[in-house]
């Protein structure tokens, strides 16, 4: 590790200068020899570096999503040329060139941050050995050696011997407890960062080897941090824990506000966006307009979450436009309940409902009922119908074997003769 750190000694002076400047600020508040002054100086160094790396982080997000989009094509190339490694590599490079994708873009923030990491390691290791480095002179060196974070010196390591720790005016037990806790927190933060990326911000509709590799890295990276962490000074552990927490918060912000299409995070984001738009009846800012415009532009290529979002706007009486705006549609009027849930009242003309088809028994019973009403005394005007009831009882009843046309359900009027059967 010392050899690697010495390779980045050219950046040691700028890193030490930034630490000294922050130390002069925090030293005036907490005291120049305190662990707070030196520890916060390292944390501030991390924040400055990560702010400078934000453009690379944005490029990393775009590169990662582009790689996820290319996974189906890459899988086809691997299956087509599985017996020809050279042709497979050529086709992969051709695909990267056509789409303008660089697989190494996703590693840019780590590669750009590594010189600062090793330079800080070189500075802290020099402090532990009692050597001046960069702009840290002898007085600052003595102040840094006196600084302790929860009883552990900045330059102490988990693997240091009792004599080395005693030279820094500390106990071996306190150093190992502090370093062990920081190593565990560093590994857990790395695991959670990778886990939320895999569970929330990955397109679940695409199953590729790239996702399997990411899942493997989710468990490998924390182990790597734990193994190498025992050789890091406390100050480097502070640096790496701070950068892990920064990465986790930065990624949570991106997942919440700009999720990957087709992921669970996009479903949650579009649900929140639907509630806001249905409540206000319009998009509120440029970002929302850009999201709606991108969804409308996709057309039939929308995923399930985006189709659900567009259909939800239609049910709420709203229509998304090509420019990203949202207007009220003519076919429906949306109203809001007390809890803010949109309900839809249709203003389109109601369709005429077709009568239900009756069965044969229903038609027969209906015809018999109609025939009985026609022969009732209340509606009949003929003299025969006005005869006494006793006379009607005396009339002979028709034979049981014969049924009237109304009872049999036959149509009135002349019947069409049946055609003779062909012999």
């Amino acid at each position: 590790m010392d050899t690697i750190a010495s390779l980045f000694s050219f950046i040691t002076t700028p890193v030490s200068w930034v630490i000294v400047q922050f130390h002069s600020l925090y030293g005036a508040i907490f005291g120049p020899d305190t662990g707070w002054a030196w520890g916060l100086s390292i944390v501030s160094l991390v924040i400055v570096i990560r702010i400078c790396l934000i453009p690379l982080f944005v490029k990393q997000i775009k590169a990662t999503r582009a790689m996820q989009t290319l996974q189906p094509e890459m899988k086809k190339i691997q299956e087509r040329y599985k017996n020809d490694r050279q042709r497979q590599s050529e086709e992969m490079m051709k695909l990267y060139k056509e789409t303008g994708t660089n697989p190494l873009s996703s590693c840019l923030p780590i590669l750009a941050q590594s010189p600062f990491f090793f330079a800080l390691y070189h500075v802290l290791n020099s402090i532990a050995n009692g050597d001046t480095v960069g702009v840290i002179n002898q007085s600052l060196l003595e102040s840094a050696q006196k600084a302790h974070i929860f009883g552990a010196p900045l330059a102490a390591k988990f693997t240091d011997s009792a004599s080395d720790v005693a030279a820094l005016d500390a106990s071996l037990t306190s150093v190992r407890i502090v370093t062990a806790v920081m190593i565990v927190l560093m590994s857990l933060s790395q695991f959670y960062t990778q886990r939320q990326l895999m569970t929330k911000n990955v397109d679940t509709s695409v199953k590729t080897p790239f996702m399997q590799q990411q899942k493997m890295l989710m468990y490998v990276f924390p182990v790597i941090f734990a193994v190498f962490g025992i050789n890091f000074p406390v100050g480097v552990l502070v640096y790496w824990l701070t950068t892990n927490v920064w990465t986790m918060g930065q990624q949570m912000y991106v997942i919440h506000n700009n999720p990957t299409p087709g992921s669970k995070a996009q479903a949650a984001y579009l649900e929140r966006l639907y509630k806001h738009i249905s409540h206000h009846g319009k998009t509120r800012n440029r970002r929302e307009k850009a999201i709606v415009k991108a969804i409308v532009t996709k057309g039939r290529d929308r995923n399930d979450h985006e189709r659900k979002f567009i259909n939800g706007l239609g049910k709420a009486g709203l229509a998304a436009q090509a420019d990203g705006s949202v207007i009220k549609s003519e076919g429906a009027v949306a109203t809001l309940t007390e809890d803010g849930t949109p309900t839809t009242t249709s203003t389109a003309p109601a369709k005429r409902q077709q009568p239900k088809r009756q069965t044969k028994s229903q038609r027969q019973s209906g015809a018999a009922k109609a025939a009985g009403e026609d022969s009732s005394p209340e509606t009949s005007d003929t003299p025969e119908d006005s005869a006494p009831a006793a006379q009607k009882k005396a009339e002979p009843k028709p034979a049981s074997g014969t049924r009237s046309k109304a009872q049999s359900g036959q149509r009135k009027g002349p019947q069409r003769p049946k055609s003779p059967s062909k012999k």
Side-chain angles (χ1 to χ4, degrees):
M1 183 66 73
D2 294 338
T3 304
I4 298 176
S6 62
L7 295 176
F8 296 94
S9 59
F10 66 93
I11 203 173
T12 300
T13 300
V15 168
S16 61
W17 182 84
V18 173
I19 292 177
V20 169
Q21 298 306 312
F22 280 116
H23 173 261
S24 61
L25 174 63
Y26 295 120
I29 301 174
F30 302 101
D33 299 336
T34 60
W36 285 104
W38 287 99
L40 290 176
S41 299
I42 296 173
V43 172
S44 301
L45 173 67
V46 175
I47 294 174
V48 170
I49 294 173
R50 295 309 301 265
I51 290 175
C52 295
L53 293 178
I54 285 178
L56 292 179
F57 179 75
V58 174
K59 193 171 183 179
Q60 178 192 20
I61 293 174
K62 293 181 179 179
T64 303
R65 292 186 180 179
M67 288 296 295
Q68 291 177 352
T69 305
L70 292 179
Q71 289 306 305
E73 297 297 329
M74 294 172 61
K75 189 175 182 180
K76 291 179 182 179
I77 293 175
Q78 291 174 352
E79 293 177 353
R80 185 180 303 173
Y81 305 105
K82 59 183 178 180
N83 297 326
D84 191 350
R85 294 288 183 181
Q86 184 178 358
R87 183 65 184 277
Q88 186 181 119
S89 301
E90 292 175 356
E91 292 295 327
M92 288 288 188
M93 296 303 295
K94 183 179 178 181
L95 179 64
Y96 294 150
K97 187 176 181 180
E98 291 176 353
T99 57
T101 305
N102 187 359
L104 298 178
S105 298
S106 59
C107 303
L108 283 178
I110 297 177
L111 295 177
Q113 190 179 352
S114 58
F116 300 96
F117 169 77
F118 289 111
L120 178 64
Y121 178 88
H122 184 59
V123 169
L124 294 174
N125 195 47
S126 299
I127 292 173
N129 296 329
D131 300 329
T132 58
V133 57
V135 299
I136 298 179
N137 52 28
Q138 188 64 33
S139 61
L140 290 173
L141 177 63
E142 294 175 357
S143 175
Q145 288 180 335
K146 295 177 183 178
H148 291 66
I149 296 178
F150 301 109
L154 287 176
K157 306 174 187 176
F158 184 88
T159 56
D160 284 347
S161 62
S163 59
D164 294 335
V165 174
L168 296 173
D169 194 18
S171 65
L172 183 62
T173 304
S174 61
V175 169
R176 292 192 172 178
I177 291 175
V178 171
T179 53
V181 171
M182 296 184 72
I183 290 171
V184 170
L185 292 176
M186 186 175 63
S187 300
L188 288 178
S189 60
Q190 178 67 33
F191 175 78
Y192 181 79
T193 301
Q194 189 69 17
R195 186 177 183 276
Q196 73 172 348
L197 178 66
M198 293 301 302
T199 57
K200 295 181 180 180
N201 206 37
V202 173
D203 188 357
T204 56
S205 62
V206 181
K207 304 294 183 182
T208 59
F210 178 75
M211 293 180 61
Q212 300 298 328
Q213 294 174 2
Q214 293 297 315
K215 287 182 179 179
M216 182 180 65
L217 292 177
M218 180 173 63
Y219 296 99
V220 171
F221 272 144
V223 176
I224 293 176
F225 277 104
V227 172
F228 284 97
I230 60 176
N231 295 313
F232 290 162
V234 173
V236 175
L237 292 178
V238 172
Y239 175 92
W240 206 249
L241 178 60
T242 306
T243 193
N244 279 1
V245 173
W246 177 281
T247 303
M248 183 172 60
Q250 195 174 43
Q251 186 172 270
M252 290 176 66
Y253 176 82
V254 171
I255 291 174
H256 187 270
N257 295 283
N258 191 17
T260 301
S263 62
K264 293 181 180 180
Q266 190 197 31
Y269 175 79
L270 291 180
E271 185 177 355
R272 294 192 304 269
L273 182 60
Y274 164 72
K275 291 181 179 179
H276 294 161
I277 293 178
S278 60
H279 180 73
H280 296 280
K282 61 180 180 179
T283 51
R284 298 174 298 171
N285 48 49
R286 285 192 215 172
R287 186 169 57 83
E288 291 185 355
K289 282 188 177 181
I291 295 294
V292 175
K293 181 179 179 181
I295 294 175
V296 173
T297 306
K298 286 185 177 181
R300 294 184 177 180
D301 296 332
R302 302 184 191 114
N303 55 49
D304 294 339
H305 307 317
E306 293 166 345
R307 283 193 290 267
K308 183 180 178 181
F309 171 74
I310 295 296
N311 294 336
L313 290 180
K315 292 179 181 179
L318 302 171
Q321 304 300 306
D323 60 350
S325 60
V326 176
I327 62 174
K328 290 186 178 180
S329 61
E330 299 178 356
V333 177
T335 59
L336 294 176
T337 59
E338 295 180 356
D339 58 350
T341 305
T343 58
T344 305
T345 304
S346 178
T347 59
K351 295 182 179 180
R352 187 178 63 181
Q353 295 182 354
Q354 297 292 337
K356 294 183 179 180
R357 187 174 180 180
Q358 296 181 347
T359 61
K360 184 176 180 181
S361 59
Q362 289 176 342
R363 291 197 301 270
Q364 290 177 356
S365 61
K369 185 177 180 181
E373 291 177 355
D374 292 341
S375 61
S376 62
E378 296 177 358
T379 59
S380 178
D381 296 332
T382 58
E384 297 177 359
D385 292 335
S386 61
Q391 185 178 356
K392 288 185 178 182
K393 289 182 180 181
E395 292 179 359
K397 296 182 179 180
S400 60
T402 61
R403 292 186 301 174
S404 63
K405 293 181 179 181
Q407 292 177 343
S408 62
Q410 296 179 359
R411 297 180 180 178
K412 295 182 180 181
Q415 302 293 322
R416 186 174 64 180
K418 296 182 179 180
S419 59
S421 60
K422 296 181 182 181
K423 295 184 180 180

